Amino acid sequence: MTEEDNWDEDLEEDAAIANLVHQLNIHKQHIGKSDRNSEVRPLNERVDFVALPCGHRMPTDYVVAWFKCYLKQKKTEFSCPRFNEVHGKSCGQKLSYQELCQLIPLTDKQREFLEENLAALVARRLFDFKACPGCQSHVERRDRSNLCVNCIICTANLKRNYYFCWSCHREWKGPANNSVQCGNTGCGQRAIYPIKDKSNDRKRLALLINNVEFKNLEDRTGADKDELSMEVLLKGLGYTVITLRDLSAQGMLSAMRDFAQREEHTESDSCFVVLMSHGDASGISGVFDSFDSEDEEDIFPTDEIFNCLNTPNCAGLRDKPKIILIQACRGDKEGSVDVPDAVPRRNRGKEHREKDFCCLRSCTPDTVSYRNQESGSHFIQDIVEIFNQHAHQDHIEKLFRKVLKKFKIMHPDQMPCKERTTLSKRFFLFPGL
């Protein structure tokens, strides 16, 4: 879908802004040990839950993360993501930001994020504007039939007329009037890599969970760089990315279960799941986790990822590659340059409950995973670089091997590790290669 198509869809949502403020009627509740009606077994009883008008209960941090995700996708209406087993699809019950603010105790930072993004969506319906690639100032496009836009600030600074392309976001090349593309290589294409035949009706989903701010642990400064880089990569590969921030272990479990039941999987050929957080040998840290042994742990077991997406629990992805990327420590020991053991090859004659997975973790068991506060983690940034360079010709396991080789040379204190890989065939990100 082109930028123009996205804009047209946004214009069709004008009336949704008004609806956004009066559709939710939720009641904040705390799940105790005696609650036997909860749809999801609590991993941490300190996590607050909300009951939505559709009857679904879910962690408050999960609901807030979904609101953020919808706004990030430039959507003005939020709907319940829980899978409805009766109807065989996601619930879809509309929910209101106004009621969210009234019934969930949002932090000032959460409220600021939501309100600023809502305001930006409203402004976009009144004005068509983007950041200039030359000076990053916001420029309005007055003629929506022309992709060639003049930036007066860059024109003044450079002492020449400066135009940029509204579509590919680069300095303009070619004739000054064009509604389709400019003269830059690749402009007008849907994604970084061309989509082959048989993919016109294909729907690919990716789930990205990024825990950045913690209640008791150090915040993961720089993780926003990893999130942005991974989003750009996955979108370029043709995936619709569901990005959820700052989840408890219970929130991550809810996210995984709902993602596994998305109806888009039936029309997809694969999926990506990316989790970025603190962690230890027992699993991935939720935002309420603590190093204090006296405090209750908020840990999401990695087994739950495979349980949610396995053969009996995720029919839509049966016989389809499920690529798992985990950026998290697995202990406190210093790393080494030892190459992980090769994944055993097993040929089974019957359908196995856990198959067609390929998981790459950022470090070997019991060791730490490093992250730069300015540029993000070596793991995520190197994956993005390798995929951008070689995804058009290499299958997924060959791409992962190139990541391992780069770590061996460039980052000897850390070694990614491929685990629970059960792909029986080569998986290329695009069919026909």
Side-chain angles (χ1 to χ4, degrees), residues 313-360:
N313 292 329
C314 185
L317 287 173
R318 189 172 300 160
D319 299 321
K320 301 173 183 178
K322 297 162 278 286
I323 311 303
I324 317 298
L325 303 175
I326 302 175
Q327 163 62 32
C329 289
R330 305 177 69 180
D332 56 4
K333 297 179 181 179
E334 292 296 325
S336 67
V337 296
D338 294 338
V339 177
D341 292 337
V343 177
R345 298 177 180 177
R346 299 178 181 179
N347 294 320
R348 298 177 180 268
K350 63 179 182 179
E351 189 106 340
H352 193 274
R353 69 180 293 112
E354 181 181 306
K355 65 187 187 69
D356 307 306
F357 281 93
C358 190
C359 175
L360 187 67

Side-chain angles (χ1 to χ4, degrees), residues 7 11 14 119-129 140 144:
W7 173 251
L11 289 177
D14 285 346
L121 288 175
V122 174
R124 189 179 178 187
R125 281 151 178 75
L126 301 175
F127 306 100
D128 194 7
F129 62 88
E140 180 184 359
R144 293 183 180 177

Side-chain angles (χ1 to χ4, degrees), residues 57-322:
R57 296 161 61 107
M58 54 191 67
T60 56
D61 58 287
Y62 182 44
V63 175
V64 173
W66 261 108
F67 262 93
K68 290 182 177 181
C69 179
Y70 269 69
L71 291 176
K72 197 169 187 178
Q73 295 177 350
K74 296 180 174 60
K75 296 180 180 178
T76 57
E77 286 189 325
F78 173 83
S79 58
C80 174
R82 184 59 46 81
F83 182 72
N84 189 318
E85 295 182 359
V86 176
H87 297 94
K89 61 181 181 179
S90 297
C91 173
Q93 174 71 45
K94 301 300 182 183
L95 305 173
S96 159
Y97 166 70
Q98 184 181 49
E99 292 292 341
L100 175 78
C101 292
Q102 293 174 353
L103 298 172
I104 294 181
L106 299 176
T107 65
D108 290 341
K109 191 169 185 177
Q110 288 173 333
R111 190 183 296 273
E112 180 182 1
F113 175 90
L114 295 173
E115 292 180 355
E116 284 186 355
N117 279 271
L118 278 172
L121 288 175
V122 174
R124 189 179 178 187
R125 281 151 178 75
L126 301 175
F127 306 100
D128 194 7
F129 62 88
K130 274 188 179 180
C132 167
C135 64
Q136 300 304 312
S137 63
H138 283 85
V139 179
E140 180 184 359
R141 180 172 66 152
R142 298 181 182 275
D143 182 2
R144 293 183 180 177
S145 64
N146 188 9
L147 294 177
C148 182
V149 179
N150 174 243
C151 174
I152 59 175
I153 295 179
C154 285
T155 296
N157 291 338
L158 299 174
K159 295 181 172 53
R160 63 175 175 83
N161 284 326
Y162 180 88
Y163 297 90
F164 69 92
C165 177
W166 203 255
S167 177
C168 71
H169 214 228
R170 289 176 284 181
E171 185 170 2
W172 184 267
K173 290 184 179 180
N177 288 285
N178 197 312
S179 62
V180 179
Q181 62 186 34
C182 69
N184 284 301
T185 302
C187 183
Q189 296 180 358
R190 180 179 178 184
I192 298 174
Y193 305 103
I195 296 176
K196 304 297 182 179
D197 293 338
K198 301 181 182 179
S199 63
N200 293 333
D201 297 325
R202 183 183 63 194
K203 296 181 180 179
R204 286 175 162 179
L205 287 183
L207 175 63
L208 195 164
I209 296 176
N210 186 19
N211 287 344
V212 180
E213 298 180 355
F214 293 78
K215 302 298 182 182
N216 303 305
L217 304 179
E218 181 181 354
D219 290 346
R220 297 181 58 250
T221 306
D224 56 326
K225 305 294 191 305
D226 289 343
E227 178 182 312
L228 178 60
S229 297
M230 186 55 64
E231 284 181 332
V232 171
L233 173 67
L234 292 172
K235 290 176 182 177
L237 295 174
Y239 291 86
T240 298
V241 184
I242 300 170
T243 302
L244 303 177
R245 274 244 193 155
D246 299 335
L247 295 181
S248 62
Q250 188 66 61
M252 286 187 275
L253 178 59
S254 295
M256 282 303 311
R257 289 181 172 178
D258 289 340
F259 180 75
Q261 300 303 322
R262 291 290 292 258
E263 51 267 29
E264 291 94 332
H265 291 319
T266 60
E267 300 177 40
S268 173
D269 58 7
S270 59
C271 81
F272 267 78
V273 173
V274 184
L275 292 97
M276 301 184 287
S277 185
H278 289 304
D280 58 25
S282 61
I284 302 170
S285 296
V287 292
F288 299 112
D289 198 17
S290 173
F291 287 134
D292 192 339
S293 59
E294 297 182 358
D295 290 341
E296 184 179 1
E297 289 186 340
D298 187 29
I299 293 291
F300 176 66
T302 55
D303 281 350
E304 292 290 356
I305 304 171
F306 298 88
N307 291 339
C308 291
L309 298 177
N310 65 16
T311 301
N313 292 329
C314 185
L317 287 173
R318 189 172 300 160
D319 299 321
K320 301 173 183 178
K322 297 162 278 286

